[in-house]
Amino acid sequence: SLTQSRHSRHLRACAAALARFGRGDSGDIGDLAVAAEQLRVARRELGRITGHVGAEDVLDIIFRDFCVGK
């Protein structure tokens, strides 16, 4: 069981991304870019549970918290 609500939230987001991947919500099952994006979202959500931080996460924090270029 997941005791932390944060873990539950990330796991639900991961499951939702995988469900969108499985359904092919883009309407075009052959659209690999959309499918890859859903897998990327699912991997990011799992990474937030396990503590894996990627370059994309670091860049998001930098651009959110700092005034870059001013």
Side-chain angles (χ1 to χ4, degrees):
S1 71
L2 298 173
T3 58
Q4 294 186 10
S5 63
R6 179 180 65 86
H7 289 173
S8 295
R9 185 176 64 247
H10 291 305
L11 190 58
R12 281 192 303 274
C14 176
L18 291 174
R20 287 189 300 271
F21 169 76
R23 286 193 309 262
D25 279 354
S26 69
D28 180 10
I29 294 175
D31 191 349
L32 294 179
V34 173
E37 175 64 13
Q38 295 308 318
L39 291 177
R40 187 191 66 78
V41 168
R43 183 203 52 82
R44 185 185 67 216
E45 293 298 333
L46 286 178
R48 289 181 174 166
I49 293 171
T50 62
H52 178 267
V53 178
E56 198 171 285
D57 298 317
V58 172
L59 289 174
D60 287 344
I61 292 168
I62 290 171
F63 285 107
R64 183 188 69 221
D65 295 346
F66 299 99
C67 295
V68 175
K70 288 188 178 182

